[in-house]
Amino acid sequence: MTGPSGVGIGWRPEIAGFVAGLPGLRFVEVVAETVAPAGPLPDGLAELRGRGVIVVPHGVKLSLGGAEPVDPARVAHLAGVAAALGAPLVSEHIAFVRAGGVEAGHLLPLPRSREAVAAVVANVRRAQAELPVPLALEPIAALFDWPDDELDEADFLTEILDATGALLLLDVANVHANACNRGGDPAGLLDRLPLDRIAYVHVAGGAEHGGFYHDTHTDPVPAEVLDLVRELCDRRRPPALLLERDGHYPPATELRGELDALAAASGYPVVT
């Protein structure tokens, strides 16, 4: 099954009309938890599928980095959404969102330790055993490092990917945010990641507040993130790149401009 390609956008009900009007669009991403596997697809998604647009379910609640085994019902939901959408793959985060039955309400970072690697690998394998399509893993943005880190980011991610055979969903906005808040060389990280494992790439905006860079998904994509897209494509152009926007939606002309800028940075055709 063919995976996503070119430039895409995160599908949200608030911008469904805008997304439907993009003539060159070939793929979108939808938050998996917003889709009922057995019910009708949200308005607009069925139309996109009918046009041959690939829809990738993006999970936010599996808690693959949690100490507890991943919830089988949540995995079954993600699998059902993938089947309902005819998706070629699904994606989730390397993070935890609950512990001891308490929901954090946020994607929380893991210590980059051998123990954390083992926990993620075990949960990814549990999920993979039930999913009908490949799984891509997304490293998150974080404001801090845990004091018991044993690995750097590149080694941490590579060990997880090698042990599971999972694909990589690389968020270059997260790479930028982590470099701002936690230090490190973002271009150097790109040099050490297994870029051949990338399924697709996230690109999003953010803003500085209180001395930290926040990956808001509600602000324009900064020039530094587009520069990282160019750096990535100079090394190995990924199959697809997706613009994420989760609120404070700008006028259509501004969204088109962001999609066009992403196309120009990556060398892919415009979709607007």
Side-chain angles (χ1 to χ4, degrees):
M1 188 182 299
T2 303
S5 62
V7 173
I9 188 169
W11 187 91
R12 304 291 184 266
E14 297 87 345
I15 55 171
F18 170 81
V19 174
L22 295 171
L25 188 67
R26 299 176 65 181
F27 92 103
V28 299
E29 179 190 79
V30 63
V31 176
E33 287 79 4
T34 66
V35 179
L41 295 177
D43 291 343
L45 277 185
E47 177 191 346
L48 290 174
R49 288 294 300 119
R51 284 169 43 189
V53 174
I54 290 172
V55 182
V56 177
H58 184 55
V60 298
K61 294 278 184 78
L62 280 192
S63 199
L64 291 172
E68 301 106 338
V70 68
D71 182 355
R74 295 182 186 276
V75 178
H77 181 276
L78 182 57
V81 172
L85 293 170
L89 76 158
V90 298
S91 56
E92 245 290 1
H93 302 84
I94 299 175
F96 72 100
V97 300
R98 72 184 62 84
V102 177
E103 297 285 333
H106 297 280
L107 296 165
L108 298 175
L110 305 177
R112 293 187 294 241
S113 64
R114 303 285 181 191
E115 186 177 14
V117 168
V120 174
V121 167
N123 273 331
V124 168
R125 287 174 175 166
R126 291 181 183 108
Q128 288 172 320
E130 305 301 325
L131 291 170
V133 292
L135 171 64
L137 301 175
E138 178 185 358
I140 68 169
L143 298 177
F144 63 90
D145 290 315
W146 291 96
D148 48 352
D149 281 354
E150 298 171 332
L151 303 164
D152 64 17
E153 184 79 351
D155 287 339
F156 181 68
L157 298 177
T158 300
E159 287 200 13
I160 291 170
L161 296 176
D162 285 349
T164 61
L167 299 171
L168 175 61
L169 166 51
L170 183 64
D171 189 320
V172 293
N174 289 351
V175 172
H176 172 66
N178 287 334
C180 289
N181 298 326
R182 302 159 75 183
D185 174 18
L189 176 63
L190 296 181
D191 286 333
R192 295 181 55 217
L193 289 176
L195 302 184
D196 59 319
R197 303 282 284 277
I198 293 178
Y200 63 107
V201 165
H202 276 172
V203 180
E208 285 197 29
H209 297 292
F212 290 96
Y213 181 87
H214 297 269
D215 180 46
T216 63
H217 295 194
T218 59
D219 291 280
V221 177
E224 294 86 351
V225 171
L226 288 175
D227 287 342
L228 272 180
V229 170
R230 296 184 188 95
E231 291 260 15
L232 172 63
C233 292
D234 284 346
R235 289 159 172 78
R236 185 185 182 103
R237 188 167 68 163
L241 303 97
L242 181 128
L243 176 68
E244 291 187 290
R245 189 81 182 209
D246 291 319
H248 294 172
Y249 299 103
T253 52
E254 292 183 25
L255 268 182
R256 289 192 189 96
E258 291 213 306
L259 287 167
D260 289 348
L262 184 51
S266 62
Y268 279 117
V270 297
V271 299
T272 56

